[in-house]
Amino acid sequence: MNSKLLACVMVVLATGSACAADGQKARRVFRQMDQNGDRALQFTEIQAARAALFDRLDANRNGVVNNSEAQAAFQRVREGGRLQMATAEGPETQARRMDANGDGRITRAEFAQFIPDRLLRADSNGDRALSPSELRALRQR
């Protein structure tokens, strides 16, 4: 597995889990992500948030998160005590799934389009949105 890809996935998973751990921060992030105000997170809203996260990670703005960018972000997450990995698969499997064209790099589009398995499983009614009750159930897992 490419170390750049693995580091990128580690940041994605760690950052995605960090919000679920802190109730007040989770509510603030939820309000920011819920762009249409329907009190549910559409998968399209999650994808928009992931695109914005990618933009923050891609410091040199080349459209790919390189190893040093990923490592720096991972270090910030770890130092903030927000590292909580929550995935049924290993990060290498997640990375391969995220890398849609199999070129060993995760682009902004690939990163944004990927919906982590834990969110797919949390969508208990299959409507491609996470309601407040589905999000509460996710936090309790």
Side-chain angles (χ1 to χ4, degrees), residues 1-6 64 95 99 101-106 110:
M1 170 58 56
N2 180 320
S3 64
K4 294 177 186 175
L5 198 55
L6 180 56
V64 177
D99 181 18
N101 65 4
D103 68 355
R105 303 178 333 145
I106 298 174
E110 290 170 326

Side-chain angles (χ1 to χ4, degrees), residues 3-130:
S3 64
K4 294 177 186 175
L5 198 55
L6 180 56
C8 183
V9 172
M10 296 296 285
V11 170
V12 173
L13 296 175
T15 306
S17 298
C19 292
D22 177 350
Q24 187 176 39
K25 182 177 181 179
R27 284 187 290 279
R28 184 174 61 247
V29 170
F30 179 91
R31 285 190 300 272
Q32 290 170 345
M33 290 176 65
D34 184 19
Q35 296 175 355
N36 66 5
D38 68 350
R39 294 187 32 85
L41 291 182
Q42 310 301 314
F43 282 3
T44 55
E45 292 169 327
I46 293 168
Q47 291 167 329
R50 289 177 59 84
L53 172 60
F54 183 92
D55 292 342
R56 290 193 306 272
L57 296 175
D58 184 16
N60 66 4
R61 305 289 182 244
N62 69 347
V64 177
V65 173
N66 67 36
N67 195 39
S68 63
E69 292 165 334
Q71 290 295 338
F74 182 74
Q75 186 64 30
R76 286 190 304 270
V77 170
R78 186 174 25 192
E79 287 171 359
R82 299 179 315 227
L83 184 58
Q84 295 182 3
M85 304 305 284
T87 180
E89 337 178 282
E92 291 182 359
T93 301
Q94 291 276 344
R96 281 191 295 276
R97 290 184 50 226
M98 205 179 301
D99 181 18
N101 65 4
D103 68 355
R105 303 178 333 145
I106 298 174
T107 64
R108 184 180 194 273
E110 290 170 326
F111 186 94
Q113 290 300 310
F114 184 77
I115 302 291
D117 286 340
R118 70 186 187 290
L119 300 183
L120 293 171
R121 285 190 306 273
D123 180 20
S124 59
N125 62 5
D127 66 353
R128 298 197 50 83
L130 298 176

